[in-house]
Amino acid sequence: MGDWYKSETEQVIADLNTNPETGLTAVEAQQRLRQYGLNELVEKGAKSPWLILWEQLTEIMVVILIVAAIVSAFFGEINDVIVILAIVVLNAILGFTQEYRAEKAIAALKKLAVPTVTVRRDGRIEEISARELVPGDIVLIETGDLIPADGRLVESVNLRVQESALTGESEAVDKVDEAISGEHLPLGDRRNMVFMGTVSTYGRGTAVITETGMNTELGNIADLLQSVEQEQTPLQRRLDHLGKTLAWGAMAIIAIVIILGIVRSNDIMHDLEELILTGISMAVAAIPEGLPAVVAITLALGSQRMLKRNALIRKLPAVETLGSVTTICSDKTGTLTQNRMTVTVLDVAGHTADVKTLLDAKGIVQEIERDDVLPTRRTLGLLVKAGALCNDAVIQTNIDGETRVIGDPTEGALVMAAADLGQTKERLAERWPRVAEIPFTSERKRMTTIHKTSKSDVAPWGDVPYVAFTKGSVDGLLEIAANLWTGSELVPMDDIVYKRIAASNEKLASQGQRVLGVAYRPLSSYEITDETEIEKDMVFIGLTAMMDPPRPEVRDAVLTARTAGVRAVMITGDHPLTARAIAQDLTIAGDGASYLTGRDLTRMNIPELEGVVDDVSVYARVSPEHKLNIVEALQAEGEIVAMTGDGVNDAPALKRADIGVAMGITGTDVSKEAADMVLLDDNFATIVAAIEEGRVIFDNIRKFIKYTLSSNIGELIVMLVGPFLGMPLPLVPLQILWINLVTDGLPGLALAVESGERGIMKRPPFHPKESIFSRGMGQRILWIGILMGFVSLIPGYIYWRIDPNGPWQTITFTTLTLAQMGNALAIRSNTDSIFSIGFFSNRLMVVSILLTFGLQLALIYMPFLQKFFRTEALSLRDLLISLAVSSLIFVVVELEKLVRRRKKSGSSLNSGLDNPKH
C-alpha cells in the first residue's frame, strides 16, 4: 500500500490518472476493473470436512482401536468389534464436531462491504455497486455512509468518520484534505484518508479511491486473519502427547506379551490366537477410551457455568485454556473502562474541583443566581450550565429507567455532568432557549450557540437580550478571549492569566484527560453574518476535563490476576497519555513504567520485540499487525496469551492468541467469529472470573486423568501379572471396555462438577510446557494403579487356585470396578480429606457411584448380561469380600493425603520459626 497521506492532492490525482471534476470514463473504469479485480474480500479455501474426518480417524489411539476391532473380527469376537467400533465412531464425531465449526470471520468481514456507492463517472454523478469500484474513482461521501474502499480525501467539509472498528479509537476522527507529513503514521493519524468498513458520522467529503478489495486496510486484516494458523490449546497438546505415549506404550506391552508367550509356548500355532487376543486386551486396557468423551462433556459443563458468569464460550477447548493463561492482553475502551466519557475535573479562576466531590453538593448549579456565595462556586455553576447549553447531545431514558446519551460522547459527558449536578439540559433550554448556532468545524475546533436571556437573570453578562456560549479547543478559545470571569469580576486576559490557564490545560492533558474550554460573550443581536464577529472578545469561564473512567471492579480483578500469576497488558489504539494514565490507575503499569507506540513497534523487528515484551505493559496507537506481533512475541517467550478485542482490527490477533476474547456488547461480528470466548458484559473482571473457572475445570480434568489412568495401570497389572502366575486371561476385552467407559465414565462426569480447590487463585498457572503428569500426579497414578492391580488380582488368584472353574474372573472384575469407586471418592480433592469437604458436597458423585455399583450388580446377576460380559453370579459372602478388599484403595489414598498435609503444615511451621520476623 502506498503512503498516499503524505502526497498533496494534485500529486495523488496525477498518480491515479483521474479527474476529481469528471471522474473516470466508463471505458477506463472497465479496464481498471480487469486489472485490479472486483472490490471485494477474497476467502481462501478452508479445510475440507473429509480431511477433518480423516485426521480424526488417523490419530494413533484410534488406529490401535481399529486394528483391535479388525483382529477381533478375524477371530469371531463380534461383540468386541461392535463395542470398539462404537467407541471409534463416538470419538470421531466429538472431534469432528469441534473442529468443523469453521471460522466465519471472513464472511462477517464481507458484510462490511456496501451494496451501492455514489461516484463521478463520465462527468455525471451515478450510483454503482461497490464491487465495481476501482482505484481512481471519485466517491462522494455523505453523513451516515459506509466507506466502500480506501481513499484519499480531496475535499472535506466538517467530515467526521467513526473508525473504531479499525483503530480502536472510541471517538470519530475529524478529516482534512491536505497532505500530512510523518513516516509510518498509525491509521488513526492519517486524517486525510478514509478506509473501507468505516462510517461517516458528520459532514460530507469527496475521496479518490486509492486501494480496493484485498489491497485495502480491511483486506489486509482479512489476509492476516486467513494466514493465522490455529494453535493447539495447552490441553490439546498435553492430551495429544499423552495419547501418543499411551499408544506406543500399549504397542510395546503387546509386543512383550506376544514375544514372551511365543518363547514360553510349546505349540505356537495353537497358542497364537490366545496371544493375539491377549495383546488386544492389553491394548484396550492401555487406552482410556472414555477420556475424549469425558473431557468434551467436562468442557461443555464448564462452558455452561461460565455463561452464568457472563462468559459465552464459542469453542470448547477455550474453557480449559483459560486456566492456563499467563498474560491477558486487554483493549482499553469498554473492557478496562466504562466506555462512557465522564467529566472528572472542572477548573475555574485558578481553582480545580473534582466532580465526584461536587456531586455531594448538587446545589452549586443554582449558586450562579445568588450574590452571597463564593465567586469560585458561581463560576463553576456557569461552567456546567454553559457546557450543557452549547451542546447537541441529549439524554434518553428508557422504560426501565436506564439513561443513555444520544449524540457525541464528549458532548454527552457535559450534559450528564450538568444533570448529575442538579440541572437538566431541558430545564436550561427552557430558561435560555437557543436561537442560533455556529456549528463545529475542524479548522476552528469549536462550536458556538446563541441563547435568549431572561430579564430575571442574575448573571455576569448583565442586561443584554442574548448571550453566546462557545466550547472547544483550549488553545483556540484563548486566542479569541479578552477576559476571564472570576465569579465576581472580569479580569483582562494578560500573560499571567493566559499562562495559568495553559498550564492547567497541559497538566490535565498529561493525565490522559480530554480538555475543553468554555467561554461566553454578551450580544445585542444574533444575526450571524460572519462567525468571526461573534467569536471574538470572549469571556473565558473555565476548563472541563473528561475521560472514559476505569470500571470500578477492574482494579481488584487486576490484583487478583497478579496474585494468580497472570499479568495484565493494555493494547489500545488510543493516545499514549490516556493509555498510561488508565494503566497506572488500574495498577497494570507502575508510575515509571515504559510504553510503546505504533511508531516504536514499526521500527522494531520481531526479535527486538521479544526482548522487551516481558517488561512493557502498555501499547498505544497500535495497528492490526502490531497486535499480532505482540501476541506472537509473548507466545515466543512461553506465555499463554488471552487477547481481548471488539473491532475488525482485532480479529487476526484474537485468532492467533491462545484464547481470543471478543466483546458481546460493542464487538463486531468479525471479532466474535474470530474469538474463542465472548464477554456478554464487556468486562475485564469477567475474564479473571473465567480464568478461575478454567483452573477449576483443568484441575477436574487432571483428576479424571489421574482416576482413569490409575485404573488403566491397574488393568495392565492384572493382565500382565496374571498370566505370569499361570492364570488364564483375568479379564476379557469387553470387561476392560466396561471399566474404561462406564466405571470410568460416570464418576468421571461427577468429577467434572467438583468445586475448586482451596487457594486456586493464589497459585501460579501451569506452564505451557509443564507435563500433564507434573506436580506429583504421575507418581500418584503409578502407585495407585499398581496397588489397585494387585488388590484386584490377589483375591482373583486365590479363588482361581481354590477352583479354576469358579467365579474367580468375576471376583477380579468386580474388585477392580469397586476399587475404582473408592479411588473416585478419595481423589475428589488433591489435598483435603473427603471427610472435610463432605461426602454429599458433590451429590452427582454419590449418585454416579451408586449407579455404577447397581450396573455392576446387573452384570453379575442378570443372565443375558452374564453371557455378554462372561460373568458369573457371586454369593453374598464373595461380594462382601470383594467390597472389603477394594476399599483398601480409598483408605490408602486418604492416608497418603493426610501425610502430605502434615508434611506441608510442618514445613510451614518450620519456615515460620526460622523467619526472624516471627
Side-chain angles (χ1 to χ4, degrees):
M1 299 179 196
D3 291 333
W4 297 102
Y5 67 91
K6 292 192 293 187
S7 301
E8 295 292 343
T9 304
E10 295 76 13
Q11 185 62 48
V12 174
I13 295 297
D15 289 344
L16 291 168
N17 192 21
T18 188
N19 186 322
E21 302 301 325
T22 61
L24 298 173
T25 64
V27 174
E28 178 66 21
Q30 283 299 316
Q31 182 183 338
R32 295 191 186 191
L33 191 62
R34 287 191 294 271
Q35 179 182 351
Y36 295 105
L38 291 171
N39 177 37
E40 61 183 7
L41 303 181
V42 179
E43 188 170 0
K44 297 177 183 175
K47 188 186 288 186
S48 161
W50 293 108
L51 179 60
I52 296 173
L53 183 61
W54 175 253
E55 289 175 352
Q56 297 299 321
L57 294 175
T58 52
E59 288 185 2
I60 190 163
M61 285 203 298
V62 176
V63 169
I64 290 175
L65 287 176
I66 292 173
V67 171
I70 292 170
V71 175
S72 296
F74 180 76
F75 288 111
E77 301 290 336
I78 302 303
N79 291 341
D80 292 4
V81 173
I82 292 170
V83 176
I84 291 172
L85 289 181
I87 295 165
V88 169
V89 171
L90 175 64
N91 286 345
I93 290 172
L94 284 169
F96 178 85
T97 303
Q98 287 185 38
E99 191 168 343
Y100 186 63
R101 295 185 66 177
E103 299 299 338
K104 301 292 190 301
I106 301 304
L109 273 175
K110 286 182 174 180
K111 292 178 185 177
L112 294 176
V114 286
T116 59
V117 61
T118 305
V119 299
R120 283 197 186 110
R121 281 192 180 172
D122 286 322
R124 298 188 304 273
I125 294 177
E126 55 185 82
E127 283 194 349
I128 65 169
S129 167
R131 296 172 71 245
E132 298 172 10
L133 275 180
V134 294
D137 262 324
I138 304 299
V139 175
L140 306 182
I141 301 168
E142 299 289 342
T143 301
D145 285 352
L146 282 171
I147 306 300
D150 289 3
R152 167 72 157 80
L153 287 165
V154 296
E155 181 188 29
S156 174
V157 181
N158 301 328
L159 181 64
R160 305 186 81 194
V161 178
Q162 175 55 263
E163 298 178 342
S164 59
L166 275 179
T167 65
E169 283 195 72
S170 52
E171 291 187 47
V173 180
D174 295 314
K175 292 296 182 178
V176 297
D177 51 29
E178 62 264 16
I180 300 173
S181 60
E183 296 292 329
H184 308 299
L185 288 185
L187 296 186
D189 292 339
R190 301 181 187 185
R191 295 174 52 231
N192 57 8
M193 299 288 295
V194 289
F195 303 103
M196 179 191 243
T198 59
V199 184
S200 165
T201 61
Y202 190 83
R204 61 183 177 81
T206 305
V208 55
I209 298 303
T210 55
E211 311 285 356
T212 59
M214 294 300 286
N215 291 325
T216 63
E217 292 292 340
L218 198 66
N220 182 40
I221 291 172
D223 191 51
L224 285 172
L225 193 58
Q226 295 181 99
S227 63
V228 171
E229 293 184 6
Q230 194 68 42
E231 292 286 311
Q232 281 188 314
T233 70
L235 178 64
Q236 287 171 326
R237 288 195 291 268
R238 288 170 176 137
L239 291 181
D240 188 49
H241 178 71
L242 172 64
K244 289 176 181 175
T245 302
L246 291 175
W248 287 113
M251 287 192 282
I253 291 169
I254 292 168
I256 291 170
V257 169
I258 293 177
I259 291 169
L260 288 177
I262 291 172
V263 170
R264 292 178 55 199
S265 175
N266 295 322
D267 185 353
I268 294 176
M269 296 307 297
H270 180 267
D271 295 336
L272 187 59
E273 179 179 342
E274 184 175 350
L275 286 172
I276 292 174
L277 288 175
T278 303
I280 291 172
S281 300
M282 300 290 283
V284 171
I287 295 172
E289 289 84 1
L291 181 60
V294 171
V295 168
I297 294 168
T298 303
L299 295 177
L301 291 173
S303 70
Q304 291 177 12
R305 291 205 299 272
M306 287 187 178
L307 185 59
K308 294 177 182 177
R309 303 182 79 164
N310 288 318
L312 173 66
I313 301 298
R314 292 192 65 256
K315 300 167 189 174
L316 278 184
V319 175
E320 173 277 331
T321 309
L322 278 161
S324 304
V325 165
T326 59
T327 302
I328 305 172
C329 294
S330 177
D331 190 20
K332 177 185 71 67
T333 304
T335 311
L336 298 172
T337 64
Q338 298 175 26
N339 196 24
R340 181 171 61 87
M341 292 296 285
T342 304
V343 176
T344 56
V345 173
L346 301 175
D347 185 288
V348 294
H351 299 275
T352 300
D354 181 78
V355 173
K356 287 183 180 178
T357 305
L358 295 177
L359 286 173
D360 297 328
K362 293 185 179 181
I364 72 144
V365 291
Q366 281 85 29
E367 291 176 358
I368 183 177
E369 301 167 16
R370 294 168 47 194
D371 295 321
D372 59 342
V373 298
L374 293 173
T376 301
R377 288 297 183 93
R378 297 180 69 197
T379 315
L380 286 172
L382 180 59
L383 177 61
V384 169
K385 291 184 177 184
L389 285 166
C390 184
N391 201 309
D392 288 328
V394 294
I395 298 175
Q396 187 179 73
T397 305
N398 62 21
I399 56 175
D400 297 324
E402 296 177 348
T403 59
R404 68 188 187 101
V405 172
I406 306 297
D408 183 80
T410 301
E411 291 197 320
L414 296 171
V415 176
M416 285 295 294
D420 290 341
L421 290 167
Q423 198 80 348
T424 64
K425 183 179 178 182
E426 289 77 11
R427 288 172 59 189
L428 291 170
E430 286 177 10
R431 185 165 183 182
W432 291 298
R434 184 189 298 189
V435 293
E437 66 179 279
I438 304 173
F440 173 92
T441 64
S442 54
E443 291 78 19
R444 291 164 39 250
K445 295 184 179 178
R446 58 181 173 265
M447 168 187 182
T448 298
T449 56
I450 301 172
H451 302 262
K452 188 175 182 180
T453 64
S454 171
K455 290 183 179 180
S456 61
D457 288 345
V458 179
W461 45 77
D463 186 17
V464 293
Y466 305 103
V467 62
F469 292 121
T470 301
K471 77 172 191 306
S473 151
V474 177
D475 294 338
L477 276 188
L478 287 176
E479 291 175 5
I480 59 173
N483 298 286
L484 169 73
W485 191 56
T486 66
S488 59
E489 60 178 339
L490 297 180
V491 176
M493 184 66 68
D494 56 22
D495 284 347
I496 296 175
V497 174
Y498 184 98
K499 288 178 180 178
R500 201 279 306 163
I501 297 172
S504 294
N505 177 37
E506 187 176 337
K507 180 182 178 182
L508 291 168
S510 69
Q511 296 169 356
Q513 309 226 46
R514 180 170 188 188
V515 187
L516 291 178
V518 181
Y520 77 90
R521 183 189 172 199
L523 297 174
S524 57
S525 65
Y526 66 88
E527 286 78 11
I528 302 173
T529 55
D530 185 356
E531 63 191 33
T532 58
E533 290 300 314
I534 301 293
E535 295 177 339
K536 69 177 183 178
D537 299 327
M538 305 294 291
V539 179
F540 197 89
I541 305 172
L543 309 174
T544 61
M546 63 193 73
M547 67 190 308
D548 182 8
R551 288 177 177 264
E553 65 275 17
V554 169
R555 183 184 174 91
D556 288 341
V558 171
L559 294 173
T560 300
R562 187 175 298 135
T563 303
V566 181
R567 182 168 73 108
V569 174
M570 180 192 292
I571 304 178
T572 179
D574 272 357
H575 194 279
L577 290 176
T578 305
R580 186 163 63 172
I582 296 291
Q584 289 173 349
D585 190 10
L586 295 174
T587 73
I588 290 175
D591 291 340
S594 60
Y595 63 86
L596 291 178
T597 66
R599 286 193 185 187
D600 299 326
L601 292 168
T602 300
R603 290 192 290 264
M604 300 173 74
N605 55 37
I606 297 299
E608 287 174 336
L609 181 57
E610 290 173 5
V612 300
V613 76
D614 286 335
D615 302 317
V616 178
S617 296
V618 179
Y619 300 86
R621 287 287 199 227
V622 293
S623 70
E625 292 94 336
H626 297 149
K627 292 187 177 186
L628 195 57
N629 290 343
I630 292 166
V631 169
E632 290 178 344
L634 284 165
Q635 290 173 329
E637 293 298 300
E639 304 290 335
I640 297 294
V641 181
M643 170 75 189
T644 77
D646 58 1
V648 176
N649 61 325
D650 297 319
L654 288 174
K655 189 175 180 182
R656 182 67 179 86
D658 296 284
I659 175 159
V661 183
M663 303 297 108
I665 299 173
T666 60
T668 59
D669 288 344
V670 183
S671 63
K672 290 175 186 176
E673 292 295 343
D676 304 287
M677 181 175 88
V678 179
L679 298 183
L680 300 182
D681 58 358
D682 289 11
N683 195 336
F684 179 88
T686 301
I687 305 173
V688 178
I691 286 175
E692 180 179 358
E693 196 66 53
R695 290 190 176 190
V696 172
I697 290 163
F698 183 54
D699 276 2
N700 290 344
I701 289 173
R702 275 172 51 93
K703 288 173 187 176
F704 175 73
I705 290 171
K706 179 166 68 173
Y707 170 64
T708 190
L709 291 189
S710 57
S711 167
N712 285 20
I713 288 175
E715 294 164 20
L716 289 172
I717 292 294
V718 168
M719 298 298 292
L720 273 174
V721 177
F724 278 98
L725 296 176
M727 300 170 67
L729 279 180
L731 299 170
V732 299
L734 271 183
Q735 291 173 345
I736 295 170
L737 286 171
W738 172 266
I739 293 170
N740 286 2
L741 288 174
V742 180
T743 314
D744 283 359
L746 291 176
L749 293 178
L751 286 173
V753 298
E754 194 64 54
S755 300
E757 300 277 342
R758 284 185 295 119
I760 197 167
M761 289 298 280
K762 293 182 179 177
R763 72 181 194 210
F766 279 82
H767 191 276
K769 294 183 180 177
E770 193 170 347
S771 166
I772 203 162
F773 300 118
S774 65
R775 306 188 188 188
M777 192 173 97
Q779 297 172 2
R780 284 191 278 279
I781 288 172
L782 279 173
W783 74 255
I784 292 172
I786 293 169
L787 178 64
M788 191 181 296
F790 282 105
V791 162
S792 305
L793 185 63
I794 288 171
Y797 176 73
I798 293 171
Y799 272 71
W800 174 74
R801 289 298 302 267
I802 294 171
D803 181 6
N805 296 318
W808 64 270
Q809 194 173 55
T810 304
I811 285 285
T812 305
F813 176 38
T814 303
T815 305
L816 182 56
T817 300
L818 297 180
Q820 285 183 269
M821 298 301 95
N823 189 28
L825 276 175
I827 67 169
R828 280 182 52 200
S829 172
N830 291 321
T831 54
D832 294 324
S833 166
I834 184 72
F835 302 104
S836 64
I837 64 174
F839 270 98
F840 297 98
S841 57
N842 185 344
R843 295 180 185 275
L844 185 60
M845 178 62 78
V846 177
V847 171
S848 69
I849 287 177
L850 291 175
L851 181 60
T852 305
F853 184 69
L855 290 171
Q856 185 67 24
L857 293 181
L859 260 63
I860 296 172
Y861 295 109
M862 296 182 72
F864 76 94
L865 290 176
Q866 286 177 340
K867 183 178 180 182
F868 196 79
F869 285 93
R870 302 183 192 179
T871 58
E872 300 176 52
L874 297 178
S875 67
L876 179 61
R877 188 193 69 156
D878 293 342
L879 184 62
L880 291 175
I881 288 172
S882 180
L883 185 60
V885 173
S886 65
S887 65
L888 281 171
I889 298 298
F890 172 79
V891 173
V892 174
V893 173
E894 281 292 333
L895 286 173
E896 186 264 348
K897 288 196 292 183
L898 175 63
V899 171
R900 277 195 286 124
R901 285 197 303 274
R902 288 189 172 177
K903 278 185 179 178
K904 184 176 180 180
S905 126
S907 63
S908 300
L909 180 61
N910 290 333
S911 64
L913 292 173
D914 292 339
N915 191 333
K917 291 183 179 179
H918 289 271

